């Protein structure tokens, strides 16, 4: 703990107050304003949490100016190149990369929990056949709160671990079942001889009428994409999970809330929106017109897959994804190659444009991911569910970290009230 402080002078009263500055392992200092209201009677105002740290965390570090992302201290580039997604999920949850014995046990646990209760097939059937898979995932993940009554004590660390593992293990099964519901195909059960990503691909694409052959290129690409999407510190969905959990809520419902938040187009829904945008642009010759629209403040159009609250440099995940896209598209040459070329040209033109340069708007993780997912055969409405599968390991790790912290308090932001001042009730016959 450093002795650094900041002094705030309230000009109206002339009073000065000191506040400690906290320093983590890395990153900017943080002014501890928890006593601000008590000392000054003032709140802080920071819409969208642009300058506010909402918690302590030792899971993920981002330096947005330098384009750095690390999980538990390991650079994302190394994890993406060398690890299985299950190793990274273990790392996020427990703080260290697993040795082979720990990894084997973790994978066995994943296999043990991968099936979902058979009664949930009825739940899926209750959805309209064309429901968005994210809508089904929000509902089905939340419904798991009605199961496992023997291990739902959130004050018991063992129970917390069971719940966290169950969610990581079951989320691919849930996403694949949502896809099958959309397609009117029978649900495919997980099989233990497959690894996490391979199992998911099999549950998605195998049908009773043809044998499934796992393509190692597809499995590797998915593995990398899942690692890149696994965590990103206090983003909107993770903060949603933390806020929901701060009241002591059931963990499955907290993750369901995270899935709901992820679905928005400004967050995980952007990968779907990027593909829509590329289709709408249609041809390289139309790019300048769309760049102009993105710059026009009277036009709601934005370049989807561009910009990030934290990264003011190239998103390190986008760099890795671009390389994966090269490999996947070489293998699956087809209708998507023009789309990829269009994306690359859009990136090139935007990165030379003053508007994007001045605002430090670079491609983010979602700019190329949709193109890869499509080349692998996923329909557009499965892009955000893929993100949700990967991010579940991050969400549950934050939930575990938070529940293990004795200083955890219910989250309760304040507001700047700008509604009516006090007024008196008027009987209905006299109201305008
Ligand atoms: N196209 C055009 N202008 C943009 C864009 C964009 N994609 N992104 C930001 N800007 C402009 C914005 O209009 C503003 O301009 P000005 O200063 O003149 O008012 C400036 O850049 C700063 O933008 P902001 O909206 O204040 O930035 P933010 O931090 O609130 O929003 C963002 C970040 C990611 C929501 C935003 O960049 C955006 O909407 N991007 C497109 C959606 C997208 O790709 N989302 C995925 C994010 S990465 C994955 C994830 O988080 O799930």
């Amino acid at each position: 703990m450093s002795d650094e402080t900041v002094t705030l002078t309230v000009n109206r009263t002339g009073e000065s107050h000191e506040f400690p500055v906290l320093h983590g392992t890395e990153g900017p200092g943080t002014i501890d304003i928890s006593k601000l209201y008590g000392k000054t009677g003032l709140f802080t105002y920071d819409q969208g949490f642009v300058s506010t740290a909402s918690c302590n965390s030792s899971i993920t570090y981002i330096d947005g100016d330098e384009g750095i992302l690390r999980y538990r201290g390991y650079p994302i580039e190394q994890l993406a190149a060398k690890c299985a997604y299950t190793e990274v999920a273990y790392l996020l949850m427990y703080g260290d990369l697993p040795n082979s014995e720990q990894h084997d046990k973790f994978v066995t646990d994943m296999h043990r929990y991968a099936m979902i209760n058979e009664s949930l097939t009825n739940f899926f059937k209750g959805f309209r056949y064309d429901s968005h898979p994210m809508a089904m995932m929000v509902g089905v993940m939340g419904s798991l709160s009605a199961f496992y009554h023997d291990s739902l004590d959130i004050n018991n660390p063992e129970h917390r671990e069971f719940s966290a593992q169950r969610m990581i293990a079951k989320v691919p099964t849930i996403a694949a079942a949502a896809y099958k519901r959309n397609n009117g195909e029978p649900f495919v059960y997980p099989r233990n001889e497959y690894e996490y990503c391979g199992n998911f691909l099999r549950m998605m694409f195998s049908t009773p009428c043809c044998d499934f052959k796992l393509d190692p290129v597809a499995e590797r690409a998915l593995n990398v994409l899942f690692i890149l999407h696994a965590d990103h510190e206090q983003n909107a969905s993770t903060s949603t999970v933390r806020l929901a959990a701060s009241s002591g809520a059931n963990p499955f419902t907290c993750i369901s809330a995270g899935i709901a938040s992820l679905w928005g187009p400004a967050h995980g829904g952007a990968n779907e929106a990027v593909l829509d945008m590329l289709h709408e642009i249609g041809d390289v010759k139309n790019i300048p017109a769309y760049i102009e629209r993105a710059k026009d403040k009277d036009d709601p159009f934005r370049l989807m897959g561009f910009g990030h609250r934290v990264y003011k440099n190239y998103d390190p995940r986008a760099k890795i994804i671009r390389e994966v896209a090269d490999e996947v598209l070489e293998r699956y040459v087809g209708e998507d190659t023009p789309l990829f070329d269009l994306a690359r040209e859009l990136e090139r033109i935007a990165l030379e444009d003053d508007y994007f340069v001045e605002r430090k708007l670079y491609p983010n993780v979602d700019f190329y991911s949709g193109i890869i997912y499509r080349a692998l055969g996923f329909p557009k409405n499965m892009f955000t569910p893929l993100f949700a599968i990967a991010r579940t390991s991050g969400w549950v790790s934050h939930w575990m970290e938070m529940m293990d912290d004795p200083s955890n308090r219910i989250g309760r932001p304040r507001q700047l009230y700008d509604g009516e001042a006090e007024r008196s009730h008027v009987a209905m016959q006299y109201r305008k």
Side-chain angles (χ1 to χ4, degrees), residues 7 33 66 76 112 129 170 243 428:
T7 304
I33 52 148
E66 296 298 321
I76 192 68
R112 174 163 356 120
Y129 72 97
K170 289 182 197 304
L243 193 56
M428 193 178 278

Side-chain angles (χ1 to χ4, degrees), residues 160-297:
R160 295 203 291 264
E161 189 179 6
F162 287 150
S163 296
Q165 290 194 348
R166 277 190 172 120
M167 285 188 264
I168 300 175
K170 289 182 197 304
V171 69
T173 314
I174 294 170
Y179 169 77
K180 292 296 188 190
R181 172 74 188 131
N182 279 169
N183 287 278
E185 291 173 9
F187 301 139
V188 176
Y189 295 103
R191 286 202 57 95
N192 293 355
E193 65 267 34
Y194 288 88
E195 293 185 9
Y196 194 86
C197 296
N199 217 348
F200 173 62
L201 286 167
R202 186 183 157 277
M203 287 189 285
M204 280 285 302
F205 297 122
S206 82
T207 62
C209 57
C210 63
D211 289 336
F212 173 76
K213 207 161 172 300
L214 181 59
D215 176 3
V217 172
E219 189 180 25
R220 208 167 38 247
L222 204 58
N223 187 65
V224 171
L225 284 159
F226 278 9
I227 290 172
L228 299 180
H229 283 93
D231 194 44
H232 215 228
E233 52 119 302
Q234 311 311 322
N235 55 84
S237 56
T238 304
S239 298
T240 301
V241 169
R242 280 187 177 261
L243 193 56
S246 73
S247 69
N250 178 292
F252 296 97
T253 57
C254 297
I255 302 305
S256 166
I259 297 173
S261 167
L262 184 76
W263 194 4
H267 192 7
N271 51 17
E272 200 176 326
V274 169
L275 219 73
D276 285 339
M277 176 188 74
L278 291 174
H279 279 301
E280 195 186 316
I281 296 176
D283 193 287
V284 170
K285 71 175 188 321
N286 301 327
I287 291 176
Y290 279 88
I291 296 268
E292 287 315 308
R293 282 191 60 193
K295 290 157 42 174
D296 180 356
K297 297 291 171 208

